[in-house]
Amino acid sequence: MNSSNSSYPTVLFDTTVLCGAIRGEGINRQLLKLVTQNLSYRVVISRVCLMEFIRNATVDGIGGVTYPMEMGERFLDVFVYPVLENSPAVNSIVGRHHRKIVSRNEMKIGQALAEISGLSIIEAVRLAEEQGLQRPLREYDLQDVHVWVTAIQEKCSYIVTSNTQRFPELIGEIKRVKPGQFYNMMMD
């Protein structure tokens, strides 16, 4: 599948999918396996999420476990790089602690995301008016804004993440789904 093919819905996998998948044969790993066989979706993984995963797995630890670099590299070779063959990793226009995010901490999330992502005025107004995007950006996890901006930038239909506590359910028309929900969607 060509990564520019717009006939397939685009879905962004957050770092939480990769972190969950390295831990074992759970739903996250099953999802990574499935998306290499089911080309009904264009899967996006950002370079920032890849770097977060490597740092989490090999330095900070995931679920109290720090993985040796060789194990992290093997995991990427077996489970992540096959996904990226269909759609290479994308650049995010902002990183985790980018000044564009921090400087908009008090803005309503819709307005902040619209400004950061470079949407047109019409698109920005529509996004800012969406239900649930009226709270200040600071009420969400600012370290996830790069995920939201990348999803907007890549025109995603879904963001697959396990982080649902401080992550909006909708960003414009982009729907947040848990890995198990997305797995079930692919199986239907």
Side-chain angles (χ1 to χ4, degrees), residues 14 17 38 55 78 80 113 171 175:
D14 181 32
V17 174
N38 180 338
R55 188 198 68 238
V78 173
V80 178
L113 288 174
I171 299 168
K175 185 176 181 181

Side-chain angles (χ1 to χ4, degrees), residues 46 55 57 66 81 83 94 101 131 135 155 183 185 187:
S46 77
R55 188 198 68 238
T66 302
Y81 295 151
V83 174
V94 293
I101 297 169
Q131 182 180 16
R135 296 185 353 221
K155 298 177 177 32
Y183 182 87
M185 288 169 53
M187 296 302 287

Side-chain angles (χ1 to χ4, degrees), residues 29-147:
R29 189 173 289 184
Q30 291 175 35
L31 188 56
L32 288 176
K33 290 177 183 178
L34 182 61
V35 297
T36 61
Q37 301 164 12
N38 180 338
L39 299 180
S40 301
Y41 294 89
R42 174 181 168 245
V43 176
V44 171
I45 300 175
S46 77
R47 289 190 171 113
V48 174
C49 286
L50 285 173
M51 290 174 20
E52 282 181 349
F53 164 74
I54 292 167
R55 188 198 68 238
N56 289 344
T58 63
V59 177
D60 296 341
I62 299 170
V65 177
T66 302
Y67 297 88
M69 182 59 81
E70 300 78 28
M71 187 173 182
E73 290 173 355
R74 174 93 174 115
F75 171 81
L76 290 171
D77 286 340
V78 173
F79 296 104
V80 178
Y81 295 151
V83 174
L84 296 176
E85 285 179 16
N86 295 318
S87 183
V90 300
N91 286 326
S92 300
I93 58 176
V94 293
R96 286 180 64 139
H97 304 287
H98 197 280
R99 65 176 173 74
K100 286 184 177 181
I101 297 169
V102 175
S103 67
R104 289 170 173 81
N105 191 28
E106 295 301 320
M107 278 186 183
K108 293 178 181 176
I109 185 176
Q111 178 184 357
L113 288 174
E115 288 184 12
I116 294 167
S117 64
L119 293 174
S120 71
I121 298 292
I122 294 169
E123 292 170 316
V125 169
R126 183 183 54 78
L127 181 66
E129 290 176 350
E130 290 291 331
Q131 182 180 16
L133 296 180
Q134 298 301 315
R135 296 185 353 221
L137 184 59
R138 67 177 151 64
E139 291 185 21
Y140 296 92
D141 189 344
L142 295 182
Q143 294 184 16
D144 285 331
V145 172
H146 70 91
V147 175

